Amino acid sequence: MPSSPKSSAKKSATKPLLLSAGVALAAITLGLVSWRATAPAETGSAGSASVTAPRTDPAAELKALARRESGDKLAVGRADAPVVLIEYSDFKCGYCGKFARDTEPELVKKFVEDGTLRIEWRNFPIFGAESEAAAKAAWAAGQQDRFDAFHAAAYAAGSKEKGFAEPRLVELAREAGVPDLERFKADLAGEQAAAALKRDQEEGYRIGVTSTPSFLLNGRPIAGAQPLDTFTAAIAKAKAEAAKQ
């Protein structure tokens, strides 16, 4: 649920460029796409013939961010699904929790289970050290095939208010059914978790993500925790377009 006015004011004071509802992503990303699409061709040095640089399709580049790795522990759905939803999220983000509770399960039931949709999560913590710790913990739970269950536990109503200090993360892992808690704690603190988090963060920053939740649906931005109908319509459209290719 949305943060209280006091909490929001505090976040605005410490992170004035972050928009909790994610309303700016489409404009920022599309602005980046527009800039790249209309950038002037590169030319050679003075006195030489001009050389036109090969142009790339920015929308295709965003679509290509879908990793489609069959062994991806932070993904659900077939690797060859016609539609891929990439979600950039933070476990301390109230709107991310709302999406995780109210919308995501319906998308899984309606579109993932019939092979239409694949969801790939990107850990994109923006609210400080506990956000980063929770992201690493989710990755660590995923190494034992419990990412989905950890994701649900961490986003349960009232969960983020309890914080994400290490004892709480271990408690969430136990609740999620992670079988080897000692391995979980080692993975949480390990270099691989940090590297995986860095990979997700760098990808998000590179395309202009500044808020959570933020989404790419077959390369097209969707900003914020939109209603189920918005995602349903967008998935249907993307599926139809994929069928024509």
Side-chain angles (χ1 to χ4, degrees), residues 90-92 123-141 147 150 154 163-170 172-173 184-185 187-190 193-194 197 201:
D90 182 324
F91 284 103
K92 289 193 66 125
N123 281 312
F124 196 76
I126 58 176
F127 292 123
E130 283 201 356
S131 289
E132 293 196 359
K136 292 176 183 177
W139 181 89
F147 172 81
F150 185 94
F164 293 117
E166 184 172 336
R168 171 65 178 153
L169 295 174
V170 174
L172 286 170
F184 168 81
K185 288 188 281 188
D187 285 342
L188 168 62
L197 174 57
Q201 287 178 310

Side-chain angles (χ1 to χ4, degrees), residues 73-98:
K73 302 290 190 179
L74 274 63
V76 295
R78 289 168 34 185
D80 63 348
V83 184
V84 178
L85 178 69
I86 302 175
E87 175 187 342
Y88 300 87
S89 58
D90 182 324
F91 284 103
K92 289 193 66 125
C93 162
Y95 287 100
C96 299
K98 178 176 176 58

